[in-house]
Amino acid sequence: MTQAICIFDTTMRDGEQSPGASMTHNEKIELAKVLEDMRVDVIEAGFPIASQGDFEAVHAIAKTVKSSVVCGLSRAGTTDIERCAEAIKPAPRQRIHTFISTSPIHMKHKLQMEPQAVLEAIHASVSLARNHTDDVEWSAEDATRTEREFLLRAVEIAIRAGATTINLPDTVGYSFPNEYGALFADVIARVPGADQVIFSAHCHNDLGLAVANSLAAVQGGARQIECAINGLGERAGNAALEEIVMALRVRGDGMPYSSRVDATRLLMASKMVSRITGFPVQYNKAIVGKNAFAHESGIHQDGMLKHAQTYEIMRPEDVGQGSTNLVMGKHSGRHAFKDKLHDLGYELSDNAFQDAFGRFKALADRKKHVYDDDIIALVDDAAAHLDETIKVVRLRVVAGTDGPQTAEIDLEIDGKPVWTTQRGNGPVDAVFNAISALVPHHATLDLYQVHAVTEGTDAQAEVSVRLSEHGRMVTARSADADTLVASAKAYASALARLRAKRERGVDAQAAG
Ligand code: KIV
Ligand code: ZN
């Protein structure tokens, strides 16, 4: 008999706090629906006090999601908690997650509060949150660097004030698994009322230990794990949701715990988050990386052909990777395309389907074989640029040995057509100069990366662009059979995101 572990997703809160990983309002709603369909227990939808945009996104998600708990984050102050309560109000199942730092270094330097004042703030904030909802989570930020006796008192106060979940974050990713597991066991054994609440793990990956620490916390008595798709999160990220879910599933023999998450949607969710944030998934990433189920060495291939379990501890289809990669081409019709989309986990509206089919046909005219990854790139690209305020309409580039290269571009900015021709030191430089002439900015280009979606010289190119301007950072990605078109679309998209971020403005101090 396995015990249930509550999966708390923080992709849209801690994940969105990673530098450059912004998500639009509609992208957050789209992701929330995917998380709900995956049966994630709690969705931390954002930090409502941080900005009007964050508030609106949490509110819209609270109106949309019915079965998962919708959670908003707030610091310990009254305005934060009330704003959070208002944002999550429409959700049938709602949670306020309030936190304050408890470690000496945070209390002294960050909060500039005396320990006694922190204890009083815990009591006041949790009590206030409980006036708004029965489901209140309290976090001791930097719990792993907190003096043990003080932590015990803080947790006891939070429980007395009505917290129903107690989170002990490893905010700076400092713990070892044995220490983190022992922390939970100790707190649960010594705090009165600990048996009445759920304990939660929230681990950062600064030393690459986030997943191991989360699992150790479960062994110490935690029954909720906070994690994010693709391990997105502050700095080196949070524990990766897909790794937690599959570790519990594959190693049920070693740890008798399970989650309700539908693992067959993990790959799709990973691709979606990568597309939305523009953060590529590393090839050798566990569970969802391109190479997670690929075998190249002759010995491994031979073993696999004889018996898959010689080198695979789970099947690709368990995490949503199609067991076949049937090639489509220009003769494939609507019906086959619809079936393929369904197999890949997409349910498109009629309009989106017509659009995707048109793009597929155009691609199939240029490319002999259209693989699953091509289709995923094509559909995701259309979705990623749907709401874009800066659109690339037409591009013509003159390149070759005799410079300077030139780019002639037509853009649509907020629905208005604009046009220019610019020169550059190479074709990409010319394209970016042309876009910059139409969209003036002070951003610097931190990253320009190209990779082929599939093999072959006719493969689609996927381009990632990262820009930063006055401490704001954005990443965007685009795919196209033409590398320069993909580059133009990614650059325009990054500028549109930067503009949105500038307009949105983040005024609250970021959480850990
Ligand atoms: O890492 C952390 O401590 C956090 C808290 C706000 C839960 O993200
Ligand atoms: Zn965190």
Side-chain angles (χ1 to χ4, degrees):
M1 197 37 197
T2 60
Q3 283 193 53
I5 298 299
C6 172
I7 299 293
F8 176 116
D9 176 274
T10 186
T11 312
M12 284 181 278
R13 200 279 295 167
D14 213 316
E16 210 216 6
Q17 284 174 211
S18 6
S22 57
M23 305 178 193
T24 66
H25 183 89
N26 288 351
E27 286 166 349
K28 286 187 182 173
I29 298 176
E30 193 193 345
L31 179 57
K33 286 190 199 150
V34 165
L35 295 173
E36 181 180 31
D37 285 349
M38 268 172 78
R39 300 198 293 267
V40 160
D41 300 285
V42 184
I43 301 173
E44 189 165 48
F47 191 9
I49 195 80
S51 68
Q52 182 61 18
D54 260 55
F55 175 86
E56 281 164 15
V58 176
H59 197 248
I61 291 168
K63 281 203 228 157
T64 310
V65 170
K66 302 284 175 257
S67 53
S68 309
V69 174
V70 176
C71 171
L73 182 71
S74 73
R75 289 168 300 187
T78 307
T79 337
D80 272 52
I81 293 174
E82 284 174 352
R83 192 81 173 132
C84 182
E86 202 186 329
I88 58 167
K89 207 172 196 162
R93 303 180 66 208
Q94 47 178 262
R95 173 178 298 183
I96 295 178
H97 176 191
T98 180
F99 73 99
I100 193 164
S101 296
T102 50
S103 65
I105 186 167
H106 274 220
M107 289 191 292
K108 182 162 181 220
H109 299 287
K110 180 179 121 165
L111 298 177
Q112 296 176 339
M113 281 169 81
E114 289 302 320
Q116 185 54 33
V118 168
L119 294 178
E120 283 160 20
I122 296 169
H123 183 264
S125 56
V126 174
S127 307
L128 176 62
R130 270 307 295 257
N131 289 342
H132 291 282
T133 172
D134 290 344
D135 187 344
V136 173
E137 173 168 335
W138 176 75
S139 286
E141 190 181 9
D142 207 15
T144 49
R145 293 192 300 170
T146 298
E147 284 168 357
R148 187 61 54 89
E149 295 309 313
F150 186 71
L151 184 63
L152 296 176
R153 280 174 66 204
V155 171
E156 185 179 346
I157 289 172
I159 295 176
R160 285 233 179 96
T164 44
T165 299
I166 299 289
N167 185 31
L168 304 178
D170 186 23
T171 304
V172 290
Y174 179 75
S175 248
F176 273 148
N178 60 332
E179 294 164 350
Y180 199 53
L183 169 71
F184 280 83
D186 190 35
V187 173
I188 292 170
R190 290 171 63 196
V191 171
D195 55 336
Q196 304 300 312
V197 299
I198 301 281
F199 276 81
S200 173
H202 176 112
C203 297
H204 281 269
N205 207 27
D206 300 67
L207 294 174
L209 293 169
V211 170
N213 282 341
S214 306
L215 297 174
V218 169
Q219 284 171 319
R223 291 294 173 266
Q224 173 177 285
I225 299 180
E226 307 194 358
C227 43
I229 306 278
N230 296 342
L232 213 62
E234 282 276 9
R235 305 180 310 276
N238 285 99
L241 181 145
E242 59 278 6
E243 295 175 24
I244 298 283
V245 167
M246 290 314 287
L248 292 177
R249 195 169 149 163
V250 172
R251 291 305 313 276
D253 61 326
M255 288 186 62
Y257 307 98
S258 58
S259 81
R260 296 185 329 118
V261 171
D262 175 0
T264 62
R265 292 170 187 248
L266 290 173
L267 186 64
M268 199 260 280
S270 159
K271 285 183 193 278
M272 180 191 250
V273 169
S274 169
R275 180 251 297 166
I276 289 177
T277 56
F279 277 34
V281 174
Q282 82 196 50
Y283 278 18
N284 57 334
K285 163 86 182 61
I287 317 295
V288 291
K290 206 172 182 143
N291 286 359
F293 295 94
H295 305 270
E296 183 149 326
S297 108
I299 297 174
H300 285 210
Q301 284 179 350
D302 180 56
M304 284 291 296
L305 290 171
K306 289 180 177 141
H307 196 303
Q309 282 174 14
T310 49
Y311 285 103
E312 269 181 12
I313 57 168
M314 55 200 147
R315 297 170 309 166
E317 53 270 38
D318 293 342
V319 303
Q321 195 161 95
S323 48
T324 58
N325 188 352
L326 269 188
V327 179
M328 310 268 292
K330 67 176 170 190
H331 301 299
S332 309
R334 262 166 220 282
H335 198 77
F337 186 62
K338 195 164 227 160
D339 281 353
K340 174 59 84 181
L341 288 181
H342 180 79
D343 288 350
L344 295 173
Y346 292 101
E347 298 301 338
L348 302 186
S349 67
D350 281 352
N351 283 348
F353 175 77
Q354 295 305 348
D355 178 63
F357 187 65
R359 290 161 60 97
F360 159 68
K361 280 293 192 190
L363 181 65
D365 270 342
R366 297 173 76 163
K367 193 172 185 294
K368 191 156 176 245
H369 299 306
V370 179
Y371 298 97
D372 286 1
D373 282 343
D374 283 317
I375 295 174
I376 291 167
L378 173 150
V379 177
D380 283 354
D381 194 61
H385 302 292
L386 203 65
D387 310 322
E388 219 106 85
T389 51
I390 305 175
K391 283 197 164 73
V392 176
V393 179
R394 195 185 68 94
L395 175 69
R396 200 166 163 272
V397 180
V398 180
T401 48
D402 306 320
Q405 286 70 26
T406 57
E408 186 183 309
I409 195 159
D410 287 47
L411 295 184
E412 208 178 86
I413 305 179
D414 299 324
K416 269 213 233 111
V418 286
W419 172 93
T420 192
T421 302
Q422 296 288 325
R423 291 170 161 203
N425 198 3
V428 176
D429 193 45
V431 170
F432 286 11
N433 286 345
I435 296 174
S436 299
L438 296 172
V439 188
H441 60 84
H442 299 287
T444 49
L445 179 66
D446 293 342
L447 173 96
Y448 169 72
Q449 202 174 59
V450 183
H451 92 263
V453 172
T454 55
E455 280 81 44
T457 49
D458 64 350
Q460 288 189 85
E462 197 164 62
V463 174
S464 304
V465 165
R466 179 176 295 172
L467 300 177
S468 61
E469 186 191 73
H470 309 312
R472 292 191 185 92
M473 199 185 269
V474 290
T475 311
R477 215 163 60 152
S478 193
D480 198 278
D482 185 316
T483 310
L484 293 172
V485 174
S487 304
K489 289 198 306 191
Y491 194 63
S493 170
L495 286 173
R497 282 165 189 244
L498 197 59
R499 192 171 71 156
K501 219 168 182 178
R502 232 184 265 136
E503 282 162 10
R504 209 155 41 114
V506 175
D507 47 19
Q509 172 195 344

